[in-house]
Amino acid sequence: MSKQFDVIVIGGGPGGYIAAIRAAQLGFNTACVDEWKNDKGGPALGGTCTNIGCIPSKALLQSSEHYEHAGKHFAEHGINVKGLELDVGKMLARKDQVVKQNNDGVAYLFKKNKITFFHGRASFVKAAEGGYELKVAGAAEESIVGKHIIVATGSNARALPGAPFDEENILSNDGALRVGAVPKKLALIGSGVIGLEMGSVWRRLGAEVTVLEGLPTFLGAVDEQIAKEAKKAFDKQGLKIELGVKVGEVKTGKKGVNVAYTNAKGEAVSLDVDKLIVSIGRVPNTIGLNAEAVGLALDERGAITVDDNCKTNLPNVWAIGDVVRGPMLAHKAEEEGVAVAERIAGQHGHVNFNTIPWVIYTSPEIAWVGQTEQQLKASGRAYKAGTFPFLANGRARALGDTTGMVKFLADATTDEILGVHMVGPQVSELISEAVVAMEFKASAEDIARICHAHPSLSEATKEAALAIDKRTLNF
């Protein structure tokens, strides 16, 4: 007889495991099915984010930043380093340990919240009495039935047509995190978040990095002024970024990868590199879900079709995270997971897409929330803008990193904050103040009137708010 549950979550990534925990907190008999395996074949909860995405990339970014500081910047502080050596193997081992700690943390939370975990791949079998029957293909095949099903199966890296990932020469985010030695030459196709972050890692460690971007503008989704400031910093670091290229044939050989492309001037270029990272977006993961068995509707991209409340076309079947519409961000998936669990309980779960923050963890970091200046111009909304450079911030000077700025955009009449954009040191931590402010419909004046600690990077946020009315105090 099939095991019965109130809620079954398919997928143990940020959206899935958080949805399961919230459902259990609300008193539901909850199960979660996830197929990720560690190197020993055991469960590795946390999904793409924990295993081959957010967490390991940040571990490598931190390690590579330490290496670059030791080699290039410690002397400014009176710290002289002799015989600096790089141990890539140890760096990767540390990254793997960080991943394992997060895997184990999710497993502990499942035990704490009495969530039943199944290690394997879940697929729909049929609508059944009491909900939906799922097959779990793991070490042993099992049949489970859930009254409510939450699909949180995430996304997969999109491959370049004609150049599939082999994870040796042509790398997705997975292979890019497992390169065993610093390549002399590295190319990236796509200047998105993953591409820039991994490019930054290997550039710091000594690789010559070329980024090939098909669009004529750099970071088109970012506020134009902030994107220009970021590109200026990347150019100075030696990250070679070519815009407006058209990639042609990609060939692998004994010596690496050859990429043929046409540059923005229309010139044919042949680029030989040791490794190629392809970062051209991600696609919803519905492989093996057997959606057709129950008539679960998918859109033309293969994403599960949902309404504003994450309901699918089937009663009591929900979907969240990368496998549905909206930004493919771990924290967006988490918010949807909580909201769906609360909706199942009859509560009013809420996700505000207008206040979801975005972060690119390069150096300088890039973070933003709300509308960009180009979006406001396109919509015809009257606005005011204010900026403040980290060059005039005392804490940034003490850190030795004065790159970038904070930018506020506010309604010209009401002063309501419409967007906040940052590029500079540790702005991933500063953006939350802007998110809170926008969630509570704050004005720029509200932030300008709040006392910020001195010296702190957050003073740049206050000063940018002051700049809306051209009354900065330190610039």
Side-chain angles (χ1 to χ4, degrees):
M1 184 177 176
S2 301
K3 296 176 182 178
Q4 304 274 333
F5 296 93
D6 298 324
V7 177
I8 298 175
V9 182
I10 304 176
Y17 86 75
I18 289 293
I21 289 170
R22 186 66 185 121
Q25 288 176 343
L26 290 165
F28 294 113
N29 180 19
T30 304
C32 180
V33 186
D34 187 81
E35 67 172 341
W36 274 95
K37 295 179 181 179
N38 58 30
D39 55 1
K40 296 180 180 178
L45 282 160
T48 294
C49 175
T50 294
N51 291 291
I52 56 171
C54 323
I55 301 302
S57 64
K58 302 311 163 286
L60 287 184
L61 280 162
Q62 188 64 57
S63 296
S64 64
E65 185 172 349
H66 285 326
Y67 178 75
E68 184 171 60
H69 276 254
K72 296 182 179 180
H73 303 297
F74 275 9
E76 300 169 13
H77 297 266
I79 305 170
N80 297 314
V81 178
K82 294 182 180 179
L84 182 66
E85 295 181 359
L86 177 64
D87 187 336
V88 175
K90 193 166 185 178
M91 189 178 290
L92 295 177
R94 177 188 178 274
K95 177 260 297 181
D96 292 340
Q97 181 60 28
V98 171
V99 168
K100 184 179 183 301
Q101 288 169 348
N102 281 269
N103 294 148
D104 293 346
V106 178
Y108 163 76
L109 290 170
F110 275 12
K111 290 179 181 178
K112 176 185 175 183
N113 290 281
K114 298 179 174 58
I115 296 165
T116 303
F117 174 63
F118 295 92
H119 189 208
R121 173 172 293 214
S123 58
F124 284 100
V125 177
K126 62 183 178 181
E129 185 178 349
Y132 297 86
E133 182 182 345
L134 303 179
K135 179 180 74 174
V136 179
E141 190 171 295
E142 296 194 61
S143 175
I144 56 178
V145 174
K147 182 178 180 182
H148 290 268
I149 309 295
I150 303 175
V151 182
T153 47
S155 61
N156 296 316
R158 177 184 280 116
L160 195 68
F165 297 117
D166 59 22
E167 305 301 5
E168 289 294 331
N169 295 299
I170 302 176
L171 314 173
S172 68
N173 55 298
D174 186 6
L177 290 161
R178 293 188 283 106
V179 177
V182 180
K184 290 182 179 179
K185 290 187 177 182
L186 171 70
L188 295 100
I189 297 178
S191 65
V193 176
I194 295 171
L196 285 175
E197 290 184 357
M198 295 316 302
S200 293
V201 167
W202 295 109
R203 179 203 61 76
R204 290 171 182 165
L205 299 179
E208 181 184 318
V209 180
T210 301
V211 179
L212 303 176
E213 171 56 57
L215 295 174
T217 55
F218 179 62
L219 292 177
V222 177
D223 184 89
E224 189 175 339
Q225 186 178 10
I226 297 296
K228 286 181 178 179
E229 188 74 14
K231 187 174 184 302
K232 188 165 60 177
F234 296 144
D235 289 343
K236 187 177 179 181
Q237 293 169 3
L239 198 64
K240 185 180 179 182
I241 301 171
E242 290 202 42
L243 303 174
V245 309
K246 185 176 181 181
V247 176
E249 188 177 15
V250 175
K251 295 185 292 186
T252 58
K254 292 181 179 180
K255 293 184 178 181
V257 186
N258 175 265
V259 182
Y261 68 95
T262 304
N263 65 20
K265 297 178 182 178
E267 301 166 334
V269 181
S270 178
L271 178 65
D272 290 309
V273 294
D274 301 299
K275 304 286 183 182
L276 173 67
I277 299 174
V278 177
S279 176
I280 56 173
R282 300 183 65 80
V283 293
N285 176 28
T286 52
I287 299 168
L289 190 60
N290 200 23
E292 60 275 12
V294 289
L296 180 62
L298 308 180
D299 68 14
E300 65 280 358
R301 298 184 308 118
I304 296 174
T305 304
V306 293
D307 64 11
D308 290 344
N309 292 317
C310 293
K311 290 181 178 178
T312 71
N313 64 307
L314 301 175
N316 296 343
V317 177
W318 314 71
I320 61 173
D322 286 7
V323 80
V324 302
R325 80 288 177 268
M328 290 184 172
L329 298 170
H331 43 284
K332 174 259 194 184
E334 291 178 343
E335 294 303 304
E336 287 182 328
V338 170
V340 165
E342 292 176 350
R343 288 164 187 156
I344 291 172
Q347 299 179 9
H348 299 283
H350 173 71
V351 180
N352 184 354
F353 280 80
N354 295 321
T355 55
I356 292 176
W358 295 69
V359 179
I360 303 176
Y361 295 87
T362 46
S363 179
E365 292 184 345
I366 305 166
W368 71 98
V369 62
Q371 298 180 78
T372 64
E373 190 164 2
Q374 55 263 38
Q375 286 173 327
L376 291 174
K377 285 178 179 177
S379 68
R381 186 162 185 176
Y383 67 93
K384 296 182 291 184
T387 63
F388 185 83
F390 282 107
L391 183 68
N393 177 267
R395 183 67 190 279
R397 290 176 185 145
L399 287 172
D401 187 355
T402 57
T403 304
M405 68 176 76
V406 177
K407 179 176 182 177
F408 265 69
L409 299 168
D411 187 276
T413 303
T414 67
D415 197 39
E416 180 186 347
I417 301 169
L418 304 176
V420 179
H421 308 271
M422 306 174 175
V423 55
Q426 301 175 30
V427 295
S428 58
E429 302 296 336
L430 299 185
I431 197 64
S432 291
E433 180 181 8
V435 175
V436 171
M438 288 184 65
E439 193 66 49
F440 283 91
K441 302 289 184 182
S443 65
E445 182 70 12
D446 288 328
I447 300 300
R449 292 288 178 183
I450 294 172
C451 183
H452 290 65
H454 175 76
S456 68
L457 295 174
S458 69
E459 289 178 285
T461 305
K462 175 187 176 78
E463 291 275 7
L466 284 165
I468 288 283
D469 286 324
K470 297 180 172 56
R471 60 181 216 270
T472 56
L473 299 170
N474 286 284
F475 184 71

